[in-house]
Amino acid sequence: MIKYLFDRSMALIGLICLWPVLLVVAILIKVKMPGGPVLFTQHRIGKDGKLFTMYKFRSMTMSHSGSSISVAGESRITPLGAVLRKYKLDELPELWNVLIGDMSFVGPRPDVPGYADSLQGEDRLILKLRPGITGPASLKYANEEEILATVNDPIKYNDEIIFPDKVRINLNYYYHHTFLGDIKLIFQTIFRSYELAEIPQNNK
């Protein structure tokens, strides 16, 4: 209950304090990326396996038909979008998801249905958690797009290496998370004081 109240109150404060930033980013998207919406919306799997709509600032072109796996430098990511993604500004609208109770500040990143449906056995305990803007797996793989840019088959590498590791980390978080631990993860996210995943070598 403390975490839920903290999430909603801090999300409201964040939206109030950051509205000038939200407005500037929205205007930049309209000017630099015309012909499409400011927000990108997508169905994700939330707490107890329920679908919800996640909101982000749009960072890609409208004409792409790419996968849910993003790779640094790919053409569908616009120059402005690359900047937004680098500094995580594209995720600011998720504060609304936290405010309305779909998400938490800290928790497993919400997956698209295909990945969440692949969870089996004990791993499905992760779905009992409210998904988060950040979390231990998100912090470890904060450079995920750069990692995927170094391998021949990003989708295969994600499915066989990164996704299972995230599941392991998130399951450990399920068993051991605390409110104070969440506060620490929030500060680690702000200051990026976490050991990032190493970029694999000799995969090309």
Side-chain angles (χ1 to χ4, degrees):
M1 179 57 71
I2 294 177
K3 178 176 179 176
Y4 186 67
L5 293 175
F6 171 84
D7 283 338
R8 301 192 76 175
S9 59
M10 293 306 296
L12 179 59
I13 292 171
L15 287 169
I16 292 172
C17 293
L18 293 174
W19 74 262
V21 178
L22 296 167
L23 180 60
V24 168
V25 173
I27 292 172
L28 286 173
I29 292 173
K30 273 298 182 183
V31 172
K32 298 291 187 179
M33 299 163 58
V38 167
L39 294 177
F40 167 77
T41 61
Q42 188 178 53
H43 284 132
R44 297 290 181 99
I45 299 295
K47 189 176 185 295
D48 299 321
K50 296 179 180 179
L51 277 175
F52 73 96
T53 301
M54 190 178 75
Y55 299 93
K56 301 178 73 171
F57 280 126
R58 182 167 64 90
S59 60
M60 296 185 179
T61 62
M62 292 298 298
S63 58
H64 77 85
S65 57
S67 71
S68 60
I69 303 300
S70 300
V71 178
E74 59 181 308
S75 59
R76 61 179 177 160
I77 301 176
T78 69
L80 173 61
V83 174
L84 297 180
R85 295 166 79 93
K86 178 180 179 180
Y87 296 103
K88 306 300 182 183
L89 295 175
D90 61 317
E91 296 184 6
L92 287 179
E94 292 172 36
L95 288 171
W96 175 254
N97 287 118
V98 176
L99 180 64
I100 63 177
D102 290 332
M103 293 178 65
S104 173
F105 276 104
V106 181
R109 284 296 294 174
D111 285 315
V112 294
Y115 281 98
D117 292 341
S118 70
L119 295 173
Q120 300 292 327
E122 186 183 26
D123 292 343
R124 294 193 65 81
L125 290 173
I126 295 169
L127 298 179
K128 292 183 177 293
L129 297 168
R130 205 177 304 277
I133 294 178
T134 189
S138 301
L139 279 166
K140 179 177 180 180
Y141 288 100
N143 59 340
E144 179 178 333
E145 292 185 359
E146 287 76 14
I147 292 174
L148 294 175
T150 69
V151 299
N152 282 327
D153 190 336
I155 295 177
K156 180 179 179 181
Y157 190 84
N158 177 77
D159 293 352
E160 296 181 358
I161 304 297
I162 294 180
F163 181 70
D165 192 36
K166 285 182 177 180
V167 170
R168 177 188 62 80
I169 294 169
N170 287 329
L171 188 60
N172 182 68
Y173 173 80
Y174 170 81
Y175 282 118
H176 302 292
H177 71 281
T178 64
F179 179 68
L180 290 178
D182 284 354
I183 298 299
K184 181 179 178 181
L185 286 167
I186 290 172
F187 277 100
Q188 287 177 326
T189 299
I190 294 172
F191 298 106
R192 297 290 182 90
S193 56
Y194 194 88
E195 182 179 356
L196 299 179
E198 292 184 1
I199 297 178
Q201 302 297 320
N202 301 321
N203 283 296
K204 286 194 172 183

